[in-house]
Structure formats: structure tokens, C-alpha cells
Amino acid sequence: MKINRTKILLIYTGGTIGMVKDYTTDALVPFDFEKLSENIPELGQLDCEIDSISFDTPIDSSNMNIDHWVELASMIEQHYNEYDGFVVLHGSDTMSYTASALSYMLENLQKPVIFTGSQLPIGDLRTDAKENLITSIQIAALRIKGKPAISEVGLYFEYKLYRANRTTKINAEHFEAFASLNYPELVESGVHLKVCHEYCLKQKSKKKFVVHKKLDGNVAILKLFPGITKNVLESVLQIPELKALVLETYGAGNAPTDPWVVNALKKSIERGLHIVNVTQCSGGSVIMGQYETSKQLLDLQIINGKDITTEAAITKLMYLLGNNISSKLFKTVFETSLRGEMQ
Ligand code: ASP
């Protein structure tokens, strides 16, 4: 009798997980993907079939851009029907941005897409790459009553699977490099894999899987700081072609009340710029109107980013602009959770 084994596709984009030291320059550089499987013979012991494909030129994730996201989404689209799950190997530096972007681009996803990477290269004696990779594959292959346990874009690092668009890279050294401060983990890896079903996205109906490939890069992020000058604020707001801005405010969404700040924001909103209020704090939510210092933003009808991360906010702007959401609906659509990225 032929047993149908779960099929997983590994997609290697680059990052430390597949890097080696170039001894002439002493820097870490990406190496040939074939060597990844050579380095983890344990992959052969997993009870699933694993195929792998790679970006033609694997990159350090600092070089990621919209074209790479489209390439990645297209790879998943092309192989969607052949595989039960996908594991994307990606540098940790911009992993939360890519994974957030992909969560919007892959609409009505019915299969797991798990991002992972590592802090130490796979060949390093103390590497975290093996555990991250092996458990990511196990999670991607996990089925409960014949259905995938996870059917959304996740990010696995150091024993935890998070909803990808809720994550932020919080540490450049620790193995625990990511956090999801506003949403609990979906899976915890210990002796057993503990799936927290109540927190996982559920696909209510079998809607058709759609891959969106149009993203608009005319966006920016501005982090407020005490002492910010008129010049800086106005220069950013007047960037030619700029269509949307993530404004990183203080605490629960507060900003200076100086008339020049309010006027500059007001004028740019009137010109059609979409401005989203996102907190600089790693956890918690924007509550416009709670303090006097956010009342002016509420009055300006600035978009409420609530508890969204900056990574999920900037990529959501790119996605909504790419999909030509009308100016009238833009605020309402942004303030609606599309893939579980906000409350
Ligand atoms: N610079 C690397 C990258 O993001 C770091 C990593 O892989 O974790 O590609």
C-alpha cells in the first residue's frame, strides 16, 4: 500500500542559517544551498518528504526588497498545490518585514508558511539553526484530523512559533531574537509540540487562494523624538510621491501639540497622505484621545494603528496602496484586521 507522506517545500532566501565565514575578509557570506542539507543529515529522519529550492542568489536579508517578496510569493504560488506546507529560510534582520508582507500577499492561505533562520551559521558547533529548521519543518508538516494544524504565515525561533505579522526582532545576539508582545505564541516546542488552537487563524470557508503581487513602495516611517525640528518633519511629509507614512509616536500614541506639528500633519492629510499612528513601544496599543497629547491626532482623523507592529504597518500600507484601496475607504480598511495583525 502506498502511503502518502506529507510534502514540505523548503525555500532558501539566504541569511546566517546558510552562511559561512569568508576567511579572506572575515565576514559572513551566503553559500550554496546544497550545503545546507549536507550539514543537517537529520533532515532525512523526518517523517515527511522534503524538497528544496533557493533564490538564484541567496541574500543577506538586509538586501530584501519588494521584488524579492514578489519572487517568494510567486514561488509559493507556483508550488502551492504540490506541497502541504512551506518553510522559508530567511535572515533574521528583516524577517518580520518579509513575513508580514507575505501574510498580506497570500490571501485565504490554507497551508502553513513558516519562516525561520538562525543567529549562528549552520556549521557552527553551537548553532541554533538545526533546532529552528527541524522544528519548523515538523510544524509545517503537523496535521490534526487530516488538516494542517497551522494555516497562516508563522515565524519560528527558539522554541516558539509566532504569528509572523505580530513579531519584531528584539535582539541581535540572543538565540531568542524575536518577540510578539501583543499576541501569544501559536505553538510552543518542548518535549511535545503544544499547539494553542484558540490563537491560530481559522479559515472559515474554502475561499480561493489568491496571491497579490502589487505592492507600492511610496511609503515611509518617521520616528518622533524630543527635539524633532520643523525642517525634519516637513521634509519627510513633503517627500515627492509619498502616499503613506507610519508615524511612530510615544506611549499610547502621543505626539507634540505644537501648532507647527499639527499644521504640518493637517496640510499633508489634506493633500491626500495617509498617516498611521503606531506606538514606539514594543508592546501595548495606541489609544488616541486618552491623553491630551493625542487628542489633536484624533481630531485630524489620523489612522489608528492600535497594537500593530511597525513592520506589519509599513507592509500593510504597501499592500493596500498596491491594491488601490480608495482614499475614502483607506482608514477603515487599515483599521480592520486582515490577517490577525492587529486587535
Ligand atoms: N544579517 C543576517 C540576515 O539577516 C542575519 C541573520 O541571518 O540572522 O540576513
Side-chain angles (χ1 to χ4, degrees), residues 13-19 28 30 59-64 90-95 117-120 157 169 172 177-178:
T13 67
T16 301
I17 195 159
M19 285 187 179
L28 286 172
I59 54 167
D60 184 295
S61 77
S62 305
N63 284 320
M64 274 288 159
H90 192 288
S92 61
D93 289 349
T94 64
M95 194 187 292
S118 66
Q119 291 282 54
L120 283 175
F157 231 84
K169 184 170 179 181
F178 289 87

Side-chain angles (χ1 to χ4, degrees), residues 125-327:
L125 207 53
R126 293 174 45 254
T127 190
D128 52 332
K130 286 192 185 185
E131 200 287 316
N132 285 347
L133 176 57
I134 290 170
T135 309
S136 293
I137 296 173
Q138 284 187 324
I139 291 173
L142 197 63
R143 297 180 79 79
I144 295 170
K145 293 187 189 151
K147 292 206 172 111
I150 303 294
S151 52
E152 58 180 291
V153 181
L155 187 153
Y156 183 82
F157 231 84
E158 195 61 5
Y159 303 109
K160 283 177 187 145
L161 179 81
Y162 304 106
R163 174 165 302 149
N165 56 30
R166 290 291 197 150
T167 62
T168 304
K169 184 170 179 181
I170 46 140
N171 203 297
E173 288 174 18
H174 292 172
F175 286 149
E176 199 170 343
F178 289 87
S180 163
L181 290 170
N182 286 335
Y183 201 76
E185 49 261 20
L186 307 180
V187 179
E188 224 182 291
S189 167
V191 173
H192 304 286
L193 288 179
K194 184 175 160 238
V195 183
C196 306
H197 297 283
E198 65 273 38
Y199 300 128
C200 298
L201 278 186
K202 286 162 201 74
Q203 299 298 342
K204 289 192 195 86
S205 57
K206 277 237 175 265
K207 285 198 186 152
K208 198 177 167 321
F209 176 55
V210 184
V211 181
H212 298 273
K213 295 182 195 158
K214 283 207 182 107
L215 297 182
D216 190 329
N218 288 307
V219 294
I221 300 171
L222 175 63
K223 182 172 183 159
L224 291 179
F225 55 93
I228 188 169
T229 61
K230 194 173 179 202
N231 223 340
V232 169
L233 180 66
E234 288 188 350
S235 304
V236 172
L237 293 172
Q238 282 163 24
I239 292 171
E241 317 285 324
L242 189 71
K243 295 181 188 155
L245 177 76
V246 172
L247 186 66
E248 280 199 5
T249 57
Y250 309 123
N254 308 318
T257 48
D258 306 78
W260 63 266
V261 175
V262 180
N263 284 339
L265 295 174
K266 186 168 186 271
K267 264 198 230 147
S268 48
I269 291 170
E270 280 165 4
R271 276 200 330 268
L273 186 72
H274 304 292
I275 303 180
V276 183
N277 186 355
V278 169
T279 174
Q280 294 179 10
C281 298
S282 333
S285 182
V286 163
I287 309 172
M288 281 193 280
Q290 186 182 25
Y291 287 86
E292 196 200 353
T293 45
S294 64
K295 179 91 182 34
Q296 76 283 22
L297 306 179
L298 191 66
D299 294 342
L300 288 175
Q301 287 276 304
I302 279 187
I303 300 169
N304 189 347
K306 303 180 200 175
D307 63 346
I308 200 168
T309 61
T310 295
E311 292 88 333
I314 193 81
T315 49
K316 189 170 184 176
L317 287 177
M318 292 173 172
Y319 168 72
L320 296 183
L321 291 169
N323 279 280
N324 293 321
I325 302 296
S326 73
S327 291

